[in-house]
Amino acid sequence: MSPDATPATPAIEATGLTVRFRRRGEPEICAVNGVGFALARGQVMTILGESGSGKSVSLKAVMGLLPPFAKVEGQVRIGGRDVLSLPPAELAKLRGGQVSMIFQEPMAAMDPVYTIGDQIAETIVQHEGTDRATAMARAKRLLDRVAIPSAARRLKNYPHEMSGGMRQRAMIALALACSPSVLLADEPTTALDVTVQIQILMLLRELQSELGMAVVFVTHDVGVAAEISDRIAVMYAGRFVEAGTVREVMRTPQHPYTRGLLASTVHGGMRRQELRTIPGNPPSLAALPAGCHFRPRCPEAVSRCMEEPPVVSPRPGAMVRCVHAERAARAADAVPA
Amino acid sequence: MLVFTGRRLLQAVPILLGVSLVIFGLVHIAPGNPIDMLMPPEASPEVIAQMKAAYGFDRPLHMQYLLWLGRALTGDFGVSVFNSAPVLGQLLTALGNTLVLALLAALLGFSLGIALGLVAALNHGRWPDKVLSAVATTGVSLPHYWFAIVLVLTFAVFRDWLPAQGMGDDSLPLWQRLDHVVLPVVTLSLIPMGVIGRLVRATVLEILGQEFVGALTAKGLTRGPVLRHIIKNAAPPVLALMGLQFGYLLGGSILIETVFNWPGTGNLLNLAIFRRDIPVLQATILVLASFFVLLNLLVDIAQAAIDPRIRR
């Protein structure tokens, strides 16, 4: 099921990741359904999808951050170790050490009553047992590294005393404090101004190649996805519907949903053109349509879409979950090379 | 932070002046001429005039106020109308007695309340939460004078374990008569425990729902350090309520001090009201109100020290 064919041991590998929310008095919800991917160090994969498609939940499941009523199944291996079955103490060592996370809203994700310096140093002390002074010195170097001006002074700032872009830089510095091999980024640019967005993306890409991290980047912004990633996985209603390299997915999208998503982006050259959208709304996770979950909104739906859609691999390392892709693949097979 | 502290200190001055004005005005708002309250009805006009001059009532009102305030600031609250003893001495004794109860009740009530609220919030929706929330609600809703009587009946009447009332033989140092303190302190701690417990639970639950708690876990902090963050975030509102509750405790509870016959400020106020002892009443209210203002000032400064967003 893994759409990746990287020969080296993956830095992070998920197989059949499934998350169910089960609360008393409410129907069970399957927010993530059998998601699988593998990523080597130095690779960036973007999970692209609308809100509610399960992208953030997938990341939280990898970090073990979901509330107790969420049931997580499948396997997540980071550095060869199965994260989901780790005892709490081991999991705590892994989080912030080998695998870090950055969040959409740095203001909400930072403790408002601790200084930036304290919050970074605390992580270093927790993971490496250094004394506070050493940790603070390292925190200063980290702020320098993410290009925060007058880092020494900024260490003493509280989150509310910084601008949004500055806070996100500080958040990145915090995430990189212990040189993780895997970085999970949950829409880190969504809450920022467009100009700041670009800066943050460039910074992330620069740091990623410098540290050789594997990055899982979650966004609903096609432009951002194209900018930063090597690979793209398109998520719809808890499932990957298409995955592959950025070029393949952007240039020759196979799944009708991917095509719709790409067609609904807006850019400068579209003045006076009618804007396109995907008709309808994403389905409620409590009442998913049978067969292909995209069927009710799909312009190419046929009667076979009522059945479970097949998973097709048009190229090595790519996947599409659609009947039409299967037909195309068969047609391609039939033609002698 | 220093600027904030200085500004808050300065802001306390007009508040205290306002309080003193109201208290001074009490004498004149109260029905009847203050002199009539002091003098027997058959007193001759000359004696009344003499009395007026002695108390300064012949001067204009603002002069009277300034004189009274000036004397009060030096600790001279005059003499009691009832027994002609200096007010200050009576007030200090009563305040000391109430302080013993207030400090111990605050210590017990606040620590129980904080523990209760934390455990309830961290076990949200499970049985410890339900049990502890019920305990907190009971603490707030039980009439505490009734609870005091039940305690006396249980531990002093049916079982001769603890003294029913009073402060014991005051020739002994306080720590040898601590048994007298137990029942009033337990009674008085009931409301602070309930109120603080409920607030701690609600505050911690709200903080637990914020994203940064997940982010703290995501950066590898274990339960202990995460709890430290939660407590620091929950502290400001809880401190504010603790300041108020401690202020109430300092005022002494008229009901509880009556049930336990405890000669504290509540008792003193009660007697002063019945005896129409205006000087005692004024002095007691002035001192208690000042404590209340200062206490809240301290809370403000503590809050600002914890949460930088409050320093503005």
Side-chain angles (χ1 to χ4, degrees):
Chain A
M1 176 100 149
S2 155
D4 201 294
T6 321
T9 329
I12 176 167
E13 184 177 19
T15 5
L17 185 63
T18 301
V19 181
R20 288 196 177 83
F21 290 111
R22 195 174 291 168
R23 297 190 94 159
R24 218 181 299 161
E26 286 172 31
E28 187 182 277
I29 282 174
C30 188
V32 178
N33 190 355
V35 160
F37 59 87
L39 218 55
R41 290 196 70 141
Q43 276 193 317
V44 181
M45 181 182 87
T46 294
I47 303 180
L48 189 64
E50 289 167 282
S51 2
S53 59
K55 340 178 271 285
S56 292
V57 175
S58 307
L59 285 198
K60 292 212 169 96
V62 169
M63 284 299 253
L65 290 181
L66 292 172
F69 59 84
K71 217 167 144 294
V72 183
E73 284 163 16
Q75 219 186 27
V76 178
R77 302 183 80 85
I78 291 176
R81 290 205 295 171
D82 186 7
V83 178
L84 300 183
S85 60
L86 278 182
E90 291 293 306
L91 189 59
K93 272 185 210 160
L94 194 78
R95 293 167 175 155
Q98 257 180 297
V99 51
S100 279
M101 186 156 176
I102 51 184
F103 297 84
Q104 175 171 347
E105 249 300 342
M107 189 67 200
M110 288 180 147
D111 188 328
V113 304
Y114 282 76
T115 62
I116 299 294
D118 276 336
Q119 300 194 43
I120 300 179
E122 180 183 44
T123 316
I124 299 170
V125 171
Q126 173 86 30
H127 283 286
E128 301 180 6
T130 58
D131 59 296
R132 228 186 83 90
T134 318
M136 267 302 185
R138 180 125 129 243
K140 188 196 163 292
R141 283 201 301 279
L142 283 160
L143 290 195
D144 278 330
R145 182 64 200 84
V146 295
I148 288 182
S150 46
R153 191 165 56 84
R154 288 296 183 182
L155 280 179
K156 298 193 189 83
N157 273 178
Y158 289 91
H160 74 277
E161 295 170 327
M162 291 179 146
S163 68
M166 196 92 86
R167 273 198 290 269
Q168 195 56 285
R169 284 174 192 271
M171 185 90 218
I172 293 172
L174 170 63
L176 301 184
C178 298
S179 319
S181 54
V182 178
L183 182 67
L184 309 176
D186 188 0
E187 308 221 22
T189 57
T190 307
L192 302 173
D193 285 349
V194 185
T195 46
V196 182
Q197 255 183 33
I198 302 288
Q199 293 169 8
I200 296 288
L201 279 182
M202 308 254 281
L203 176 70
L204 273 176
R205 208 157 57 170
E206 193 183 305
L207 290 166
Q208 177 267 330
S209 62
E210 186 181 307
L211 299 170
M213 290 181 292
V215 177
V216 182
F217 197 100
V218 158
T219 185
H220 61 253
D221 186 326
V222 177
V224 167
E227 187 70 31
I228 192 150
S229 36
D230 304 309
R231 308 179 44 75
I232 287 187
V234 181
M235 198 160 183
Y236 188 79
R239 282 172 163 176
F240 281 0
V241 291
E242 179 162 4
T245 65
V246 176
R247 272 175 86 90
E248 290 161 7
V249 176
M250 291 289 188
R251 288 209 181 152
T252 52
Q254 303 286 307
H255 198 283
Y257 176 65
T258 315
R259 283 201 285 273
L261 209 57
L262 293 178
S264 23
T265 52
V266 180
H267 54 82
M270 294 176 63
R271 277 175 69 108
R272 289 168 193 273
Q273 281 182 43
E274 197 177 330
L275 298 181
R276 289 178 55 191
T277 59
I278 305 175
N281 289 308
S284 153
L285 290 174
L288 286 173
C292 174
H293 299 330
F294 186 59
R295 174 179 46 83
R297 301 172 73 188
C298 185
E300 301 165 39
V302 294
S303 61
R304 267 199 59 204
C305 296
M306 292 293 284
E307 295 159 29
E308 194 64 17
V311 177
V312 187
S313 180
R315 283 170 297 269
M319 64 81 79
V320 187
R321 190 189 294 271
C322 183
V323 263
H324 299 300
E326 186 187 44
R327 202 167 299 148
R330 246 192 240 131
D333 281 348
V335 179
Chain B
M1 190 63 215
L2 219 61
V3 179
F4 175 83
T5 309
R7 208 171 56 214
R8 289 296 288 117
L9 273 171
L10 283 180
Q11 280 170 0
V13 174
I15 298 175
L16 285 172
L17 279 178
V19 167
S20 71
L21 256 176
V22 170
I23 292 166
F24 174 78
L26 278 182
V27 196
H28 300 273
I29 294 164
N33 186 328
I35 285 295
D36 292 346
M37 284 188 258
L38 300 178
M39 303 301 292
E42 64 276 11
S44 67
E46 299 85 60
V47 179
I48 291 180
Q50 234 178 338
M51 218 41 195
K52 265 189 171 172
Y55 275 86
F57 284 136
D58 52 343
R59 310 218 191 171
L61 209 54
H62 63 275
M63 283 308 291
Q64 289 184 37
Y65 168 68
L66 288 179
L67 279 173
W68 172 76
L69 187 64
R71 280 201 297 269
L73 283 178
T74 58
D76 175 10
F77 293 106
V79 293
S80 159
V81 174
F82 178 72
N83 54 16
S84 301
V87 172
L88 187 66
Q90 301 181 42
L91 179 57
L92 286 181
T93 315
L95 206 55
N97 291 339
T98 293
L99 203 60
V100 173
L101 289 192
L103 280 174
L104 291 172
L107 193 73
L108 183 68
F110 293 169
S111 35
L112 279 180
I114 292 170
L116 185 152
L118 266 179
V119 173
L122 295 177
N123 291 286
H124 180 49
R126 293 198 289 274
W127 68 265
D129 181 23
K130 284 169 188 153
V131 172
L132 292 174
S133 298
V135 170
T137 311
T138 311
V140 179
S141 12
L142 273 188
H144 59 343
Y145 52 88
W146 174 84
F147 186 65
I149 294 168
V150 171
L151 281 183
V152 168
L153 280 177
T154 315
F155 294 101
V157 179
F158 296 144
R159 291 269 179 274
D160 190 20
W161 289 344
L162 291 164
Q165 58 154 340
M167 291 187 69
D169 181 359
D170 50 357
S171 62
L172 290 171
L174 182 72
W175 53 271
Q176 286 187 357
R177 343 175 227 138
L178 276 183
D179 51 343
H180 287 269
V181 170
V182 176
L183 292 186
V185 163
V186 168
T187 313
L188 283 173
S189 67
L190 202 62
I191 288 181
M193 177 202 74
V195 184
I196 295 290
R198 283 158 59 96
L199 182 70
V200 168
R201 176 179 177 275
T203 313
V204 169
L205 276 183
E206 195 230 307
I207 292 167
L208 282 175
Q210 288 179 29
E211 195 176 20
F212 78 83
V213 179
L216 288 172
T217 313
K219 70 182 193 179
L221 294 194
T222 40
R223 246 178 115 80
V226 172
L227 196 62
R228 209 178 58 221
H229 280 264
I230 292 173
I231 289 173
K232 193 170 173 190
N233 273 276
V238 175
L239 273 177
L241 189 60
M242 291 205 306
L244 285 179
Q245 287 290 322
F246 190 64
Y248 296 152
L249 285 173
L250 270 188
S253 161
I254 292 180
L255 290 170
I256 298 305
E257 290 187 357
T258 306
V259 171
F260 290 105
N261 194 17
W262 190 273
T265 45
N267 221 329
L268 187 67
L269 271 177
N270 192 24
L271 290 177
I273 291 166
F274 279 115
R275 293 168 180 165
R276 303 218 133 202
D277 198 343
I278 299 287
V280 171
L281 208 54
Q282 281 183 323
T284 313
I285 298 176
L286 183 67
V287 168
L288 289 179
S290 308
F291 268 128
F292 212 84
V293 171
L294 292 178
L295 211 57
N296 280 299
L297 182 73
L298 279 181
V299 166
D300 277 358
I301 294 171
Q303 281 185 320
I306 294 170
D307 189 340
R309 289 169 299 180
I310 295 171
R311 290 174 224 159
R312 299 239 178 232

